[in-house]
Amino acid sequence: MTRTRIKICGLTREADVDAAVAAGADAIGFVLYRKSPRFVTPERAGELARRLPPMVTPVLLFVNENAMNIEAACACVPSAALQFHGEESAEACSAEAHATGRVFWRAARIPAGDGAGFDLLKFAHTFQAAQAILLDAHVEGYGGGGKTFDWSRLPPNIPAHLVLSGGLTPANVGAGIAALRGRGHSLAVDVSSGVEADGPDGKPLKGIKDADKIHAFVRAVRAADAQFSIAP
């Protein structure tokens, strides 16, 4: 088995991009959904992405965006992968991937609790052209809500590369990796709210990351991999 790869999502500041890179993240996510509190413009995403060294992948997150805006955003971030997080069809995702010359990830929004009623095997088959299927909890507002779902209820053999998301933190990511390892072709993890700074009310400051939490999250992933004797 390969090591668990790591994406830090919802970044808006240079300092947070630098912290994620320093901690060892493999990918950095920029939210281009205007209703999200973590929204950045394509131009801003391009500025932040230019800080990334080779082999750290920028990922652009879209929710039901039109083709013109997707293609304009790709022009601002030439090396980015695409992540579709809304109701986009398989045909629409593939068309935009072809038009922009990019790979795409497709988010599967799994109901909280036991995930009843969601056929992940059918979803993976429908989106078989995706580079990866991102497993996220179904929340109002299309992700970033800090909610988990019952990982143990997922099918044992999912024909896709998997990215586990939804409510991950340094405290629970190891359990998520243990639950999902071996269920797909490979496994990555994606965190947003779980590494955000705390506001005065104790709630996450959406879009503002905490460098110590980022480093703690990466250490927790590496510790989980060590349990499976995975080389770094």
Side-chain angles (χ1 to χ4, degrees):
M1 297 293 293
T2 58
R3 68 178 176 85
T4 304
R5 301 192 182 277
I6 301 169
K7 173 173 170 267
I8 312 293
C9 194
L11 278 72
T12 64
R13 307 187 304 170
E14 286 84 354
D16 298 336
V17 171
D18 295 346
V21 170
D26 300 285
I28 303 296
F30 302 111
V31 178
L32 273 61
Y33 176 48
R34 290 185 178 276
K35 294 183 180 180
S36 170
R38 302 176 180 91
F39 169 74
V40 293
T41 65
E43 294 77 13
R44 179 61 173 155
E47 291 174 357
L48 295 171
R50 284 193 286 275
R51 303 181 73 85
L52 300 178
M55 299 186 187
V56 177
T57 302
V59 181
L60 302 180
L61 187 156
F62 299 101
V63 176
N64 304 326
E65 189 56 87
N66 66 59
M68 183 180 298
N69 288 342
I70 292 171
E71 290 162 26
C74 286
C76 294
V77 193
S79 59
L82 312 180
Q83 180 178 322
F84 295 110
H85 221 288
E87 313 305 325
E88 300 90 350
S89 68
E91 293 76 17
C93 293
S94 293
E96 283 311 305
H98 178 75
T100 57
R102 312 300 173 88
V103 298
F104 76 92
W105 304 2
R106 184 63 170 91
R109 302 174 66 215
I110 299 173
D114 63 5
F118 189 92
D119 189 337
L120 183 56
L121 294 178
K122 180 179 179 181
F123 188 92
H125 177 75
T126 299
F127 290 94
Q128 58 186 300
Q131 185 186 49
I133 299 297
L134 185 140
L135 309 173
D136 198 6
H138 190 292
V139 297
E140 185 177 355
Y142 296 101
K147 303 297 183 181
T148 61
F149 57 92
D150 187 348
W151 304 317
S152 69
R153 300 297 294 271
L154 293 175
N157 295 297
I158 305 166
H161 296 283
L162 303 178
V163 182
L164 177 61
S165 185
L168 295 180
T169 69
N172 69 9
V173 68
I177 291 170
L180 269 293
R181 180 167 289 283
R183 295 192 184 217
H185 299 330
S186 68
L187 180 63
V189 291
D190 184 347
V191 65
S192 183
S193 61
V195 294
E196 286 179 327
D198 296 323
D201 58 359
K203 296 181 179 179
L205 294 172
K206 295 182 178 181
I208 307 299
K209 306 305 183 188
D210 182 303
D212 290 339
K213 289 184 180 181
I214 290 174
H215 281 267
F217 186 86
V218 173
R219 287 196 301 271
V221 173
R222 299 295 174 244
D225 279 351
Q227 298 297 313
F228 294 92
S229 301
I230 304 300

